Amino acid sequence: MRFEKYHGLGNDFIILNIEDVRGRNLSELGKKVCHRNFGIGADGMIVFERNDRGIVMNFYNADGTTAPMCGNGIRCFTHYMKNNGLFSGDSVSIQTGAGEMRVTITEGTEFMVRVNMGRPIFEGSAIPIREEAQEYIEKEIEVDGEKIKVSSLFMGTTHTVIFVDDLKGVDVEKLGPKIEKYELYPVGTNVNFCEVKSSQEVHVTTWERGAGMTLACGTGACAAAVIGNKLGRLEKDTKVVVPGGEMYIEVEEDVFMTGPSVKIAEGEFLL
Ligand SMILES: N[C@H](CCC[C@H](N)C(=O)O)C(=O)O
């Protein structure tokens, strides 16, 4: 089965065409190809599909669970499609589980993509959270006896944003999974630990639902920028620095994310 591997700021993906995997259980395949030892290794698997309305991006976490959207992934998906002549021009709409996203290839030393990530949704039932709430911003939860202020929203997928004074002092591997599976979140959540450096720069480390610690999370970067802006800590245009590099977020009514994609490899998956 032919595959291509890409990364977006170190968040890496195996990308396949549905034509090559018809009939297979894609959740099981996602687990298999993403395994760092028994497979190719990646944070997620993306499957290209075309229906009567156009292009579809199907996303699977490394644990085989699906997620509605993937910000770094949609940039890599755009790169894959361009490399395989699957659309013409520099801009295209892509159907995702979080609605239609418009991507535009932009100028840069690397392959750069600007994505309209749509609008953040704050309403509790859409995040989702197990509370009736118009929004869930700067609320206190208790994890292992520690009180933590969280803000949760739907930004392409379920995200929780936590502002800290010093990212280096946060045990993300310990806190991340506990918040990911906290009882407030019926389907879990991605967890973004954020340190504001200035009104135009925030550093973010993300523990991803279904993938664990990643070097970058595009929807998470958007979530951090949206909440930071809502709390008056970040301006509308923000540089988000993640362990794998940096991306640029513009918070308008829609949220725009600009960042790179790099093709790592292509080949035949034999299992
Ligand atoms: N890495 C992705 C997010 C994947 C979200 C997934 N982990 C979920 O279960 O929602 C990004 O760049 O936006």
Side-chain angles (χ1 to χ4, degrees):
M1 174 190 74
R2 212 178 107 60
F3 77 89
E4 294 186 18
K5 183 172 181 183
Y6 292 75
H7 78 81
L9 300 172
N11 196 199
D12 56 345
F13 308 99
I14 305 300
I15 306 182
L16 311 165
N17 190 316
I18 193 90
E19 295 310 326
D20 298 326
V21 291
R22 283 212 187 280
R24 294 186 71 151
N25 176 315
L26 294 182
S27 282
E28 285 309 312
L29 182 62
K31 276 168 72 174
K32 190 179 278 197
V33 300
C34 291
H35 196 288
R36 297 279 179 197
N37 306 98
F38 299 115
I40 305 165
D43 293 328
M45 177 181 82
I46 298 174
V47 182
F48 169 87
E49 188 176 5
R50 203 187 287 274
N51 64 18
D52 53 5
R53 286 184 296 123
I55 292 165
V56 183
M57 179 179 88
N58 302 289
F59 179 79
Y60 297 81
N61 282 310
D63 71 351
T65 55
T66 59
M69 226 313 256
C70 179
N72 291 316
I74 204 168
R75 299 198 314 270
C76 294
F77 183 63
T78 302
H79 197 176
Y80 164 87
M81 290 197 292
K82 200 66 197 166
N83 283 342
N84 290 277
L86 294 169
F87 75 94
S88 56
D90 285 341
S91 190
V92 67
S93 291
I94 299 168
Q95 298 162 63
T96 75
E100 194 159 280
M101 307 285 164
R102 186 82 186 167
V103 300
T104 304
I105 300 166
T106 63
E107 290 309 310
T109 50
E110 304 170 283
F111 190 93
M112 295 293 280
V113 186
R114 183 170 188 263
V115 187
N116 182 336
M117 301 285 283
R119 294 186 186 173
I121 305 172
F122 300 103
E123 212 277 324
S125 61
I127 295 173
I129 56 173
R130 284 200 175 93
E131 276 192 18
E132 288 295 314
Q134 278 307 309
E135 59 179 35
Y136 201 82
I137 306 290
E138 292 280 279
K139 300 287 189 184
E140 206 166 71
I141 64 172
E142 189 166 320
V143 180
D144 288 347
E146 190 182 344
K147 293 194 183 321
I148 300 171
K149 260 190 192 173
V150 302
S151 299
S152 296
L153 69 163
F154 186 89
M155 184 71 244
T157 185
T158 308
H159 276 285
T160 294
V161 172
I162 298 163
F163 286 102
V164 299
D165 295 333
D166 177 4
L167 263 178
K168 290 191 292 292
V170 180
D171 187 345
V172 176
E173 301 269 357
K174 173 173 167 273
L175 268 182
K178 289 196 164 70
I179 299 172
E180 174 194 352
K181 298 184 176 6
Y182 192 71
E183 70 259 15
L184 177 67
Y185 304 106
V187 294
T189 181
N190 297 283
V191 191
N192 302 278
F193 298 92
C194 311
E195 180 182 338
V196 175
K197 292 293 193 181
S198 77
S199 65
Q200 293 178 306
E201 181 174 328
V202 60
H203 291 203
V204 180
T205 297
T206 303
W207 176 272
E208 279 199 37
R209 175 180 62 182
M213 182 90 89
T214 61
L215 294 179
C217 183
T219 50
C222 293
V226 164
I227 299 296
N229 182 252
K230 196 172 177 66
L231 296 176
R233 304 188 62 177
L234 293 170
E235 292 179 30
K236 284 185 176 300
D237 294 356
T238 301
K239 178 166 78 169
V240 179
V241 178
V242 294
E246 56 192 57
M247 59 190 113
Y248 301 89
I249 310 297
E250 302 156 81
V251 178
E252 306 298 339
E253 267 195 64
D254 285 355
V255 179
F256 295 86
M257 168 195 65
T258 301
S261 162
V262 175
K263 181 175 182 181
I264 300 170
E266 62 182 35
E268 282 300 315
F269 184 62
L270 305 177
L271 302 178

